[in-house]
Amino acid sequence: DVASGEEISRLNGFETAAPVYSARFAPDGETLVWIARATIQPMDIESRELMPSLSHEGFVSAYALSPDGSIAATTAAGTYEGELMPLVTLWEAETGKELAVQANPDYFSALAWSPDSSILAAGTENYVIFYESPSGDVLEVQDSGSVSSLAFSPDGRSLLVCSMDGSAAVWQAE
């Protein structure tokens, strides 16, 4: 209870050998998303039922659920064409089915969805890469410097790009 500070309920059941790094509400407000080293697992809050997990080979560096709740995006190191490298993966949120995987030589540091869930922006050490959803096809790559976070404006026409050097830029859609 926010007003009294009293605990209303406690959620548990997510188990992993690694510590839980984070838990956050999904956009629907009815799902909790557990995040640990290489595993992400949603949980229905009311039923406390765990949904399919999204398992990775390496540490998850970023996670974002599309505003419509249909697609999850993750970044983690993984084997791609026989080589260990940073990957961005799109998943069907309800089933945990992998929809698309794209590799990149640079470490991924941030993800952001456009408000209509049609575009995923992924920040790296040097670029912002825009992916079409749900195909995962690369739409555009823009030089950016080292990205620390990304956020689309509510109307989807601007992207806030925060950099590791402490600066922020607003990019306008063309």
Side-chain angles (χ1 to χ4, degrees):
D1 183 287
V2 177
S4 70
E6 291 183 43
E7 183 178 296
I8 296 170
S9 67
R10 183 175 294 255
L11 298 173
N12 54 32
F14 174 66
E15 294 181 16
T16 178
V20 174
Y21 295 145
S22 175
R24 61 177 85 152
F25 287 104
D28 66 9
E30 298 173 4
T31 306
L32 181 73
V33 180
W34 296 98
I35 302 172
R37 179 182 183 268
T39 305
I40 293 177
Q41 191 160 21
M43 170 187 266
D44 180 272
I45 294 170
E46 187 175 325
S47 71
R48 292 175 165 66
E49 195 171 308
L50 289 166
M51 298 171 191
S53 66
L54 310 179
S55 297
H56 302 77
E57 194 173 339
F59 283 88
V60 174
S61 58
Y63 166 81
L65 185 64
S66 63
D68 67 7
S70 67
I71 300 174
T74 59
T75 60
T79 303
Y80 187 82
E81 296 180 354
E83 192 175 334
L84 186 66
M85 57 193 329
L87 304 175
V88 62
T89 306
L90 299 181
W91 310 81
E92 188 175 87
E94 188 174 315
T95 65
K97 176 185 172 200
E98 192 176 280
L99 298 173
V101 177
Q102 290 284 354
N104 189 64
D106 293 336
Y107 165 82
F108 287 102
S109 54
L111 294 170
W113 285 98
S114 63
D116 67 358
S117 303
S118 68
I119 296 173
L120 176 69
T124 74
E125 297 170 310
N126 296 297
Y127 308 100
V128 174
I129 304 169
F130 295 90
Y131 298 96
E132 191 277 330
S133 177
S135 72
D137 293 337
V138 175
L139 297 171
E140 188 174 347
V141 178
Q142 290 288 322
D143 289 329
S144 65
S146 190
V147 176
S148 60
S149 66
L150 299 166
F152 275 95
S153 62
D155 66 4
R157 297 192 40 76
S158 301
L159 179 69
L160 178 64
V161 180
C162 297
S163 298
M164 297 287 187
D165 68 5
S167 66
V170 177
W171 295 1
Q172 298 293 314
E174 293 180 8

